[in-house]
Amino acid sequence: MKAPAVHASLAAGRKYPLPLPTGLGHEAAGIVEMIGPGVTDFRVGDHVVYMNAGVGAYTSRRNVPAEKLARIPEGIDDETPVAVFFKAMTAQYLVRKTFPVKKGNIVVVHAAAGGVGRILSGWTKALGATVIGTAGSPEKCRIAINAGCDHAVNYSEEDWIDQVINASDGRKADVVYDSVGKNTFLGSLDCTAKFGMVVLYGAASGPAPSIDPELLNKKGCLFLTRPSVFPHNADPVTFRENAAEVFEAMQRGYFKA
């Protein structure tokens, strides 16, 4: 498979170590050049994308198991999905599986100016939610608004929690998507409505602090979960169904690539 466009999403260090020496890149798009024995899902010339075939996407050609591939629909070039595929697949399970967002929900998206954050902001807005994004600077807040947030709050400011709550006229969030971790996690609990959910799916500022489960009760019988993208795409059928949702959202303009 030739890979004309590649985008890497690597998290190095102690949290997500890679064995050395190693290739680079988790995701790529390309054109099928050869088919192995028993493969019936694809044909030579198909445009495909992957995100979970092991590191090594920064190659000109690569053998990839067929079950790791999803076909790119006609009308979408290779460069567009590969630029956002991993991030969009993350957003897909967050808004469709972890907490199915619906019209009228109040949604808080931390790091709304980031790759996943921008997709989450646009997608949840398209589903009818009121979206409050947070980011670490005034410029990033402007990016969050451009991505689809109704309001944007600078979480570097001391009163950011009050600002988030006031942005929705005092109504707390049905769900908080938190990829920041250490610097926002406890505040996320304070932004969440009774019986609401905090979705911790990253740790950009460091691991979230450990808490006594009783704190979730005291904050309003909250739900807390720590999901990740690969278990949500562990089998080929589910992976391709999820990818199809991503491509549909992309074609509908739910988020900006």
Side-chain angles (χ1 to χ4, degrees):
M1 186 186 75
K2 186 178 180 181
V6 205
H7 177 82
S9 296
L10 297 178
R14 290 178 296 178
K15 187 67 176 176
Y16 302 107
L18 291 173
L20 298 176
T22 183
L24 294 175
H26 279 289
E27 55 191 322
I31 302 169
V32 176
E33 293 186 338
M34 296 181 65
I35 296 291
V39 175
T40 58
D41 297 340
F42 299 98
R43 297 176 298 176
V44 171
D46 282 346
H47 291 250
V48 294
V49 64
Y50 68 83
M51 67 168 190
N52 185 24
V55 293
Y58 280 14
T59 58
S60 297
R61 287 174 172 82
R62 188 181 187 192
N63 292 328
V64 178
E67 63 267 21
K68 300 294 185 181
L69 300 174
R71 185 177 286 103
I72 299 173
E74 291 186 11
I76 299 179
D77 58 40
D78 292 354
E79 287 77 9
T80 300
V82 79
V84 298
F85 190 63
F86 205 132
K87 297 181 283 291
M89 291 290 280
T90 298
Q92 185 273 337
Y93 81 78
L94 291 172
V95 303
R96 305 300 290 175
K97 306 290 180 64
T98 305
F99 185 95
V101 174
K102 60 183 183 296
K103 185 176 181 179
N105 283 149
I106 301 292
V107 174
V108 171
V109 178
H110 287 311
V116 177
R118 292 197 304 272
I119 297 171
L120 273 176
S121 298
W123 202 330
T124 52
K125 179 64 177 176
L127 292 172
T130 297
V131 187
I132 304 167
T134 75
S137 71
E139 175 59 28
K140 289 181 178 180
C141 285
R142 287 190 286 271
I143 294 171
I145 292 293
N146 188 54
C149 292
D150 296 285
H151 311 276
V153 171
N154 186 344
Y155 60 61
S156 297
E157 297 179 1
E158 188 173 346
D159 65 340
W160 71 266
I161 298 170
D162 291 334
Q163 290 186 52
V164 167
I165 297 171
N166 291 337
S168 56
D169 298 323
R171 180 181 164 188
K172 292 187 176 182
D174 298 293
V175 61
V176 177
Y177 293 111
D178 191 339
S179 63
V180 177
K182 180 181 177 181
N183 292 349
T184 56
F185 174 63
L186 294 178
S188 294
L189 301 180
D190 290 329
C191 293
T192 307
K194 185 177 181 181
F195 306 126
M197 179 179 288
V198 175
V199 183
L200 184 67
Y201 71 98
S205 65
S210 299
I211 62 169
D212 185 331
E214 182 61 25
L215 183 61
L216 299 175
N217 178 33
K218 292 180 179 179
K219 295 289 185 181
C221 297
L222 305 183
F223 294 88
L224 171 64
T225 185
R226 182 27 176 122
S228 60
V229 66
F230 294 130
H232 281 87
N233 294 280
D235 67 88
V237 172
T238 302
F239 166 59
R240 290 171 187 163
E241 289 174 349
N242 293 342
E245 277 204 357
V246 163
F247 290 130
E248 180 181 2
M250 188 182 299
Q251 290 173 317
R252 289 175 177 268
Y254 286 179
F255 58 86
K256 300 174 183 178

